[in-house]
Amino acid sequence: MNHDAYDDNYIRGILNNVKSIAMVGASPVNVRPSYFAFKYLAQRGYDMIPVNPGHVGKALMGKPFVASLADIDRPIDMIDIFRNSSHIMPVVEEALKLSPLPKVIWMQLGARDDAAAEKAEAAGLKVVMNRCPKIEYGRLSSEISWMGVNSRTLSSKRAPIPTQGMRLSLNRTSFGGGQTAASDRAAKNKTETT
């Protein structure tokens, strides 16, 4: 798998098929990127599970925080890792102990661990690195165009303004592949500043 550029159909297949998402590193602070991503995905109908040991006893959008993946009481389709690259391998190792295994390991913008990705793929999981499911969902559904952003997704109809729990079609035609220069710059800048 080439983790430098993802085919839109690969991303589309993941977002269409997962139902439950455990977000490791979710934050209840409403100015944090993880808060926005969590809220957005929950509003699109995904069963979101916030994972952060520092916030156990609190809830995010009515969903109680759990301390670890092992504390989740139901199967997880996707694990969305909102942690620094140096913390990814332990999360992947914990995920590989779950039964049943999740289907997808997703690493957020700026997060990449090729060894962890290789380990997850060897166990049969799909992996996405250095991408945000919120951004990819908005781009592939053309919803992001409501904000005036060119999503490189073509359709003769504008995407509807979504309502609570509404999933938009991700089957719109895209061109130029799934590469996003912004995510590549974010990863490069993060590497240079650390």
Side-chain angles (χ1 to χ4, degrees):
M1 168 63 67
N2 177 5
H3 290 290
D4 294 319
Y6 296 102
D7 184 81
D8 283 347
N9 289 325
Y10 181 74
I11 300 293
R12 189 177 283 120
I14 290 171
L15 295 175
N16 275 329
N17 291 309
V18 301
K19 293 177 179 62
S20 59
I21 302 173
M23 184 178 286
V24 177
S27 173
V29 179
N30 67 358
V31 295
R32 302 288 305 214
S34 63
Y35 175 88
F36 291 118
F38 188 97
K39 180 179 177 183
Y40 179 92
L41 294 169
Q43 290 174 336
R44 298 309 172 276
Y46 293 100
D47 174 19
M48 300 298 295
I49 305 157
V51 181
N52 190 325
H55 294 293
V56 171
K58 299 177 187 172
L60 180 52
M61 295 190 62
K63 308 281 187 169
F65 277 91
V66 296
S68 69
L69 295 173
D71 294 333
I72 298 172
D73 60 357
R74 58 194 182 275
I76 309 162
D77 293 330
M78 182 170 106
I79 297 172
D80 183 11
I81 305 174
F82 246 106
R83 299 291 316 269
N84 184 299
S85 295
S86 63
H87 298 286
I88 290 172
M89 184 61 87
V91 175
V92 169
E93 288 172 344
E94 183 182 6
L96 293 176
K97 293 177 185 172
L98 297 174
S99 180
L101 287 175
K103 299 173 187 171
V104 180
I105 298 289
W106 191 301
M107 301 173 209
Q108 279 290 341
L109 288 174
R112 183 176 182 126
D113 184 329
D114 290 294
E118 188 176 318
K119 193 172 206 176
E121 288 172 332
L125 281 65
K126 291 184 177 183
V127 175
V128 176
M129 296 191 285
N130 190 30
R131 297 288 185 269
C132 175
K134 173 189 180 295
I135 292 170
E136 295 301 314
Y137 187 100
R139 182 179 68 80
L140 292 171
S141 69
S142 295
E143 176 184 345
I144 201 166
S145 68
W146 279 102
M147 295 182 284
V149 176
N150 180 358
S151 66
R152 300 181 317 228
T153 302
L154 302 175
S155 175
S156 59
K157 288 183 154 186
R158 185 173 221 184
I161 295 176
T163 59
Q164 182 75 22
M166 176 182 182
R167 279 207 190 180
L168 297 176
S169 171
L170 298 174
N171 296 325
R172 294 167 181 264
T173 304
S174 297
F175 66 97
Q179 298 174 350
T180 56
S183 65
D184 295 338
R185 278 194 310 276
K188 183 176 184 252
N189 291 341
K190 187 170 182 140
T191 303
E192 290 175 356
T193 58
T194 54

